[in-house]
């Protein structure tokens, strides 16, 4: 064994520590172990405390959009998304878990696929079930929960919340319809409640939102929910985008917006006097020529019901529709909401995307008619005399 000499005539093995040194090593190890256990317990306790504190809930009712007392009808997907985004934002502001309805109403106006025609003898709840679809068939709940924690109102977690809320009495469930968001955040009695029940305005959820016209006050972007589509819809969109390659896209909204009525003089009037003209193929071609070069692949998404309506555009562009990929979509798509959400993802992937109406600065759009009307019925214009190219 190698020896280390210390002084004259004294030798000591470098592998044989002194008793004091052994004691110090053991004591240090014990202290370190106790410290690690203490820190681990502290972190665990802190995390569990925060978790318990964060587990408070916000409920807005079981139907996203109710534009009538009976809730027999509902608005389109975009309208309902406005309401849903409003509620999610409030949960974010209040630092609460949002209780999301497990189903979304399918508007008869905006959906012709998957609607079940029920008899008059069925109950309101049965008709609602038939004319709605599962929320998780539209949105990725786990993906949304990365931004705002969410549970569905048909989950075990929700029933446990209701059960616990009843046991807690006044600190359990508080009904706050009509209370401002600022008061909900600042009032301690609201803060301490396990569940805030803010069953929404019977006209529409987003009627409860404040400053909804002031976009600077919005914490969740309008683009959030379109990116939160269910995974199978995202996968289908990605597959179709891969097949399209390098492409441009237009969204042509016609079917639900081309409403006319006749005045007392027998003259037809419309809320969008230029829309029918501006979304005709010949006018579309003139409008987009400066943005989309000839020969490009153009993906067309539209609610136009006439087959072959956009065929004249094929003189200049290689047209593509979601119907070209029915072998991908037919096993997947159950209603028009799912179809539009998938098409929306495809349009977002285009090199150039042209909307029907201008919504934001920098948008490319087909018509100068404003998207939101002032209930001013005007005589439709079909000539190009007023058209600005």
């Amino acid at each position: 064994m190698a020896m280390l000499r210390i002084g004259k005539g004294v030798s000591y093995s470098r592998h044989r520590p002194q008793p004091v040194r052994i004691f110090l090593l053991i004591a240090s190890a014990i202290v370190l172990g106790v410290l690690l256990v203490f820190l681990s317990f502290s972190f665990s306790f802190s995390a569990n405390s925060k978790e318990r504190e964060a587990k408070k809930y916000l409920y807005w009712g079981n139907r996203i959009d109710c534009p009538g007392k009976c809730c027999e009808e509902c608005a389109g997907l975009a309208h309902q998304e406005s309401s849903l985004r409003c509620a999610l934002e409030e949960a974010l502001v209040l630092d609460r878990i949002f209780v999301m309805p497990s189903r979304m109403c399918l508007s008869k106006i905006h959906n012709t696929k998957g609607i079940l025609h029920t008899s008059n003898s069925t109950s309101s709840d049965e008709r609602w079930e038939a004319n709605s679809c599962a929320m998780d068939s539209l949105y990725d709940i786990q993906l949304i929960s990365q931004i705002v924690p969410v549970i569905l109102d048909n989950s075990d977690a929700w029933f446990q919340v209701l059960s616990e809320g009843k046991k807690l009495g006044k600190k359990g469930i508080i009904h706050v319809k009509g209370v401002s968001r600022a008061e909900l955040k600042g009032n301690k009695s609201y803060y301490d409640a396990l569940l805030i029940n803010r069953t929404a305005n019977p006209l529409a959820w987003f009627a409860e939102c404040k400053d909804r016209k002031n976009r600077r006050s919005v914490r969740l972007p309008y683009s959030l929910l379109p990116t939160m589509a269910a995974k199978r819809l995202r996968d289908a969109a990605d597959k179709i985008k891969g097949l399209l390659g390098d492409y441009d896209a237009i969204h042509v909204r016609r079917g639900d917006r081309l409403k006319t009525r006749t005045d007392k003089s027998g003259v037809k009037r419309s809320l969008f006097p230029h829309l029918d003209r501006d979304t005709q193929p010949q006018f579309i071609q003139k409008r987009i020529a400066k943005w989309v070069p000839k020969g490009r692949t153009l993906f067309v998404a539209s609610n136009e019901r006439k087959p072959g309506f956009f065929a004249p555009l094929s003189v200049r562009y290689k047209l593509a529709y979601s119907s070209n990929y029915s072998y991908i979509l037919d096993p997947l798509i159950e209603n028009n909401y799912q179809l539009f959400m998938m098409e929306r993802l495809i349009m977002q992937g285009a090199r150039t995307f042209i909307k029907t109406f201008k919504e934001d600065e920098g948008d490319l759009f087909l018509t100068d008619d404003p998207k939101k009307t002032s209930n001013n019925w005007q005589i439709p214009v079909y000539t190009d005399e007023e058209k600005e190219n």
Side-chain angles (χ1 to χ4, degrees), residues 234-247 325 342 344-350:
R234 301 199 310 271
D235 290 345
D238 287 342
K239 190 170 185 179
I240 293 173
K241 285 190 287 186
L243 294 171
L244 285 169
D246 184 19
Y247 65 98
Y325 306 97
M342 189 276 306
R344 193 164 56 181
L345 292 170
I346 294 174
M347 290 186 284
Q348 290 172 352

Side-chain angles (χ1 to χ4, degrees), residues 135-162:
M135 188 67 72
D136 56 10
S137 72
L138 298 173
Y139 299 102
D140 188 327
I141 306 303
Q142 291 183 341
L143 198 59
I144 293 176
S145 290
Q146 293 178 13
I147 309 297
V148 182
V150 166
I151 62 171
L152 293 174
D153 70 359
N154 64 348
S155 64
D156 291 339
W158 171 232
F159 294 117
Q160 289 174 5
V161 171
L162 290 177

Side-chain angles (χ1 to χ4, degrees), residues 278-387:
D278 293 347
T279 54
Q280 295 288 332
Q282 63 270 32
F283 284 97
I284 292 176
Q285 184 169 307
K286 289 180 183 179
R287 182 82 165 191
I288 72 174
K290 54 191 173 185
W291 302 320
V292 184
K294 184 178 181 180
R296 294 276 298 167
T297 297
L298 183 65
F299 180 80
V300 181
S302 178
N303 59 354
E304 168 58 44
R305 297 179 177 88
K306 183 179 179 181
F309 180 82
F310 298 103
L313 288 171
S314 61
V315 174
R316 185 175 177 87
Y317 303 109
K318 302 171 185 175
L319 300 183
Y321 310 89
S322 56
S323 58
N324 296 143
Y325 306 97
S326 57
Y327 63 96
I328 296 174
L329 301 180
D330 282 353
L332 173 70
I333 300 299
E334 300 172 346
N335 55 66
N336 284 359
Y337 281 24
Q338 291 176 330
L339 178 62
F340 179 67
M341 291 180 72
M342 189 276 306
E343 287 182 331
R344 193 164 56 181
L345 292 170
I346 294 174
M347 290 186 284
Q348 290 172 352
R351 176 186 289 191
T352 303
F353 173 40
I354 303 161
K355 302 179 180 180
T356 304
F357 302 96
K358 181 179 179 179
E359 298 176 21
D360 299 298
E361 289 299 323
D363 281 350
L364 302 179
F365 48 97
L366 297 176
T367 183
D368 296 320
D369 284 345
K371 184 176 182 180
K372 293 186 178 180
T373 66
S374 56
N375 203 32
N376 182 19
W377 292 81
Q378 304 174 56
I379 299 175
V381 177
Y382 292 102
T383 64
D384 61 355
E385 295 176 2
E386 300 180 5
K387 186 67 179 170

Side-chain angles (χ1 to χ4, degrees), residues 258-271 377-380 382:
L258 297 181
K259 295 179 180 178
T260 60
R261 72 179 186 184
T262 305
D263 63 17
K264 295 179 181 179
S265 302
V267 178
K268 285 188 175 181
R269 295 181 177 272
S270 172
L271 290 173
W377 292 81
Q378 304 174 56
I379 299 175
Y382 292 102

Side-chain angles (χ1 to χ4, degrees), residues 200-244:
N201 190 304
L203 296 178
W205 270 20
F206 68 74
E208 296 283 353
C209 283
K210 306 300 179 183
D211 296 327
R212 62 181 182 272
K213 293 183 180 179
N214 179 9
R215 295 202 172 190
R216 288 178 297 179
S217 70
V218 175
R219 294 182 60 175
L220 294 178
Y222 287 73
S223 59
L224 173 70
L225 288 173
T227 64
M228 298 286 157
K231 187 177 185 304
R232 60 177 187 163
L233 298 180
R234 301 199 310 271
D235 290 345
D238 287 342
K239 190 170 185 179
I240 293 173
K241 285 190 287 186
L243 294 171
L244 285 169

